[in-house]
Amino acid sequence: NAFPRAGGRARFSPTRPLPPDEPVDEAYPIVLTTGRLLEHWHTGAMTRRSRVLDEREPEAAAYLAPAELDRMGVTSGNDIQITTRRGSITLTARADQTMLEGMVFVPFAFVEAAANLLTNPALDPFGKIPEFKYAACRLSPA
């Protein structure tokens, strides 16, 4: 196997990550990240129609480290409000041991959760990819 280049060898170019367009600050001290769940992928257009998958994860939740829930004075199952510079949504909090403190994860396959109302549409200057995976937010009990 060869790469489609002269000599058939790959060419690697090092890169340095750019800082986020919207770093955390005093007003928005938590990192919001979005993504998929095992049960729901793409936009949920097909998986949300699957009764088996939708029964397993029927609604969006906000996934946080247990220490973040403690800091807010809420427990898993309580509603919290997530606010960015673009909007606010309310979701049920879910303790997740794999989440880092200072972060909240929201799945985007739930139209009723509207995670993309919160995300930052700023474009990477090179790849022109929107910064949907990182936004500064604040959390509060709902």
Side-chain angles (χ1 to χ4, degrees), residues 11-73:
R11 179 178 179 178
F12 291 96
S13 300
T15 185
R16 288 191 175 89
L18 297 174
D21 178 69
E22 183 180 80
V24 295
D25 57 23
E26 284 187 35
Y28 299 92
I30 303 291
V31 173
L32 166 70
T33 188
T34 65
R36 295 167 178 82
L37 296 177
L38 173 65
E39 296 80 10
H40 300 295
W41 56 91
H42 297 293
T43 61
M46 291 190 293
T47 59
R48 293 293 310 281
R49 290 187 223 166
S50 165
R51 186 178 325 143
V52 172
L53 294 175
D54 208 47
E55 284 174 357
R56 186 167 170 97
E57 285 292 346
E59 60 185 38
Y63 297 76
L64 299 107
E68 285 301 329
L69 293 174
D70 292 344
R71 205 175 342 275
M72 287 193 311

Side-chain angles (χ1 to χ4, degrees), residues 87-110:
S88 184
I89 63 173
T90 300
L91 293 175
T92 302
R94 186 181 290 180
D96 185 334
Q97 300 288 341
T98 65
M99 286 299 298
L100 296 174
E101 291 182 39
M103 293 187 77
V104 59
F105 169 80
V106 175
F108 57 66
F110 296 86

